[in-house]
Amino acid sequence: MRCEKFKDSNGGWCYTNKQGVTKKLLVNLETNQPYKRDEIIQNECKFKGKVFTQYRYDRPFSMYEKDSWGIMCKVVAKTLPREAPGYKIPTPAVISFSGGRTSAFMLKQVLNAYGGKLPEDIKVCFANTGKELPETLDFVRDVQEMWDINIHWLELEINDESPIWSQKEVTYETASRAGEPFDELIIKNQMLPNLHRRLCTIEMKIKPIERFMKSFGYEEWYSVLGLRYDEPKRVSDSRKQQQRYINLCPMYDAKHTNEDVLDFWHKNNFDLRIPVVDGRAAAGNCDLCFLKGTKTTLNLLHEKPELADWWIEKEEIMGRKFRHNRPDYISLLDLSKDTPKDYIEDESFTCFCHD
């Protein structure tokens, strides 16, 4: 079966799906080629001006244009200036607070730039997965209370009726602590997040914050990320993204590094109660996140073997691993029982869940 794009006898672009159905493709008027990801749709249709993401080979373009394949696209920010250096960030904006030292440092700099009180149209959000360590939740509470900041604690909520995907606002006292939002996500999708499909980041952090901002009527806004000057690739990747929000990285613009962050917390009157190992809080974010390197995971399990229980249970229920290129969590737990060795650190990965 020919599952690829091709030109028909009239020179039009088409595609035949796995079921043998052939339909035309909407093409880019400038290149006369099928649209590529992140290209702006120029055709006169309901999607004009939006950003193309992919074709849909399971449905027609519309009820009136059934001979063409459907498309998926997204809205991108058009009216906001893309360049906004400095800690006095423009509005409307959302500060994505991960519950770590770096993003808390950034939050403090923004707060200082505004004279100790944030404008109403700058929201601070902490997206809780239920798998953060208690120390992380304590730290978010401390930041909120010590600096007198209104932090919105958000959790994914999956409903039986429309809207299926939503978020709820919780507090330090009511926040999930046993992986409940993560459980709901796995049950709904009947799959584990993995290196290629990081559903956890998208569905439990990015989208809840996006829906939260849209609930205030914002169509476009700035998203402020705690990415440092010593993380140039992550900064570059974030700035290339085209969304209805524009990513800002004020720490990078101010040339603040991890050394600046650690020095700040060393002098501060409270701190995140997670030890710094090799310049970072290895146990930050989701406790045994599959994006952490094997050495980091083994050391965490050696200190707190009970952390493995939830991850082992999910792999056993789903009959597969979170990460295909290393042992499952029950094997990692067994390996961690030995005296910690200088394990070779395999590649760790980054995501929205920054320090």
Side-chain angles (χ1 to χ4, degrees), residues 128-131 155-156 168 174-187 204 310:
N128 181 43
T129 68
K131 287 303 297 168
E155 290 185 4
L156 169 67
K168 62 181 179 180
T174 63
S176 297
R177 287 167 165 80
E180 295 92 330
F182 215 146
D183 285 335
E184 285 193 44
L185 178 65
I186 291 172
I187 292 170
M204 290 194 290
W310 185 90

Side-chain angles (χ1 to χ4, degrees), residues 135-229:
E135 292 87 344
T136 297
L137 302 185
D138 292 346
F139 184 59
V140 177
R141 175 204 59 195
D142 292 344
V143 167
Q144 184 169 302
E145 294 179 353
M146 299 293 286
W147 294 345
D148 192 24
I149 299 176
N150 183 21
I151 297 177
H152 300 276
W153 295 54
L154 304 179
E155 290 185 4
L156 169 67
E157 187 169 50
I158 302 177
N159 309 301
D160 294 329
E161 299 179 355
S162 183
I164 304 299
W165 299 87
S166 65
Q167 73 288 333
K168 62 181 179 180
E169 194 159 355
V170 297
T171 64
Y172 171 78
E173 291 75 20
T174 63
S176 297
R177 287 167 165 80
E180 295 92 330
F182 215 146
D183 285 335
E184 285 193 44
L185 178 65
I186 291 172
I187 292 170
K188 179 65 177 177
N189 285 281
Q190 285 299 292
M191 67 173 290
L192 299 177
N194 55 65
L195 295 178
H196 305 290
R197 294 195 65 188
R198 302 180 191 180
L199 296 175
C200 43
T201 303
I202 296 169
E203 299 295 349
M204 290 194 290
K205 291 184 176 289
I206 296 175
K207 287 189 176 180
I209 292 176
E210 183 174 336
R211 286 192 295 266
F212 177 75
M213 291 298 286
K214 289 168 68 175
S215 72
F216 290 94
Y218 299 126
E219 295 184 359
E220 301 177 359
W221 59 86
Y222 292 100
S223 177
V224 190
L225 307 178
L227 299 179
R228 304 182 304 267
Y229 189 65

Side-chain angles (χ1 to χ4, degrees), residues 190-298:
Q190 285 299 292
M191 67 173 290
L192 299 177
N194 55 65
L195 295 178
H196 305 290
R197 294 195 65 188
R198 302 180 191 180
L199 296 175
C200 43
T201 303
I202 296 169
E203 299 295 349
M204 290 194 290
K205 291 184 176 289
I206 296 175
K207 287 189 176 180
I209 292 176
E210 183 174 336
R211 286 192 295 266
F212 177 75
M213 291 298 286
K214 289 168 68 175
S215 72
F216 290 94
Y218 299 126
E219 295 184 359
E220 301 177 359
W221 59 86
Y222 292 100
S223 177
V224 190
L225 307 178
L227 299 179
R228 304 182 304 267
Y229 189 65
D230 50 0
E231 300 176 290
K233 185 179 185 307
R234 296 184 70 188
V235 171
S236 176
D237 290 345
S238 72
R239 287 177 170 173
K240 290 177 184 176
Q241 294 177 11
Q242 295 195 70
Q243 305 285 352
R244 64 171 63 243
Y245 49 84
I246 295 174
N247 287 325
L248 298 181
C249 305
M251 292 188 68
Y252 180 84
D253 297 329
K255 297 186 178 182
H256 280 137
T257 66
N258 192 46
E259 185 177 345
D260 296 313
V261 173
L262 295 179
D263 182 63
F264 171 85
W265 290 108
H266 178 71
K267 298 174 181 177
N268 199 55
N269 60 343
F270 70 96
D271 191 7
L272 173 64
R273 291 183 292 106
I274 293 178
V276 175
V277 179
D278 296 328
R280 60 194 176 112
N285 303 315
C286 289
D287 47 31
L288 293 182
C289 175
F290 58 89
L291 299 178
K292 297 182 190 293
T294 301
K295 177 182 177 180
T296 297
T297 302
L298 290 172

Side-chain angles (χ1 to χ4, degrees), residues 37-207:
R37 187 176 181 85
D38 290 337
E39 290 184 341
I40 305 296
I41 297 172
Q42 304 292 342
N43 310 65
E44 292 295 335
C45 63
K46 63 180 180 180
F47 302 111
K48 184 175 181 179
K50 296 183 179 181
V51 174
F52 176 85
T53 55
Q54 66 184 61
Y55 289 102
R56 292 292 303 267
Y57 302 125
D58 59 347
R59 64 183 61 185
F61 189 80
S62 72
M63 63 183 296
Y64 305 108
E65 299 176 80
K66 295 183 179 180
D67 60 342
S68 296
W69 287 119
I71 64 172
M72 293 182 66
C73 57
K74 58 187 177 182
V75 177
V76 298
K78 294 180 180 179
T79 63
L80 299 177
R82 301 198 71 86
E83 297 297 327
Y87 281 113
K88 195 165 186 177
I89 57 177
T91 62
V94 60
I95 298 175
S96 300
F97 179 30
S98 70
R101 290 184 176 92
T102 294
S103 59
F105 171 91
M106 178 192 69
L107 175 56
K108 181 60 172 173
Q109 306 312 307
V110 175
L111 186 66
N112 289 345
Y114 273 100
K117 184 173 178 59
L118 296 177
E120 183 61 31
D121 52 359
I122 294 181
K123 312 296 182 184
V124 183
C125 291
F126 167 66
N128 181 43
T129 68
K131 287 303 297 168
E132 278 81 13
L133 287 172
E135 292 87 344
T136 297
L137 302 185
D138 292 346
F139 184 59
V140 177
R141 175 204 59 195
D142 292 344
V143 167
Q144 184 169 302
E145 294 179 353
M146 299 293 286
W147 294 345
D148 192 24
I149 299 176
N150 183 21
I151 297 177
H152 300 276
W153 295 54
L154 304 179
E155 290 185 4
L156 169 67
E157 187 169 50
I158 302 177
N159 309 301
D160 294 329
E161 299 179 355
S162 183
I164 304 299
W165 299 87
S166 65
Q167 73 288 333
K168 62 181 179 180
E169 194 159 355
V170 297
T171 64
Y172 171 78
E173 291 75 20
T174 63
S176 297
R177 287 167 165 80
E180 295 92 330
F182 215 146
D183 285 335
E184 285 193 44
L185 178 65
I186 291 172
I187 292 170
K188 179 65 177 177
N189 285 281
Q190 285 299 292
M191 67 173 290
L192 299 177
N194 55 65
L195 295 178
H196 305 290
R197 294 195 65 188
R198 302 180 191 180
L199 296 175
C200 43
T201 303
I202 296 169
E203 299 295 349
M204 290 194 290
K205 291 184 176 289
I206 296 175
K207 287 189 176 180

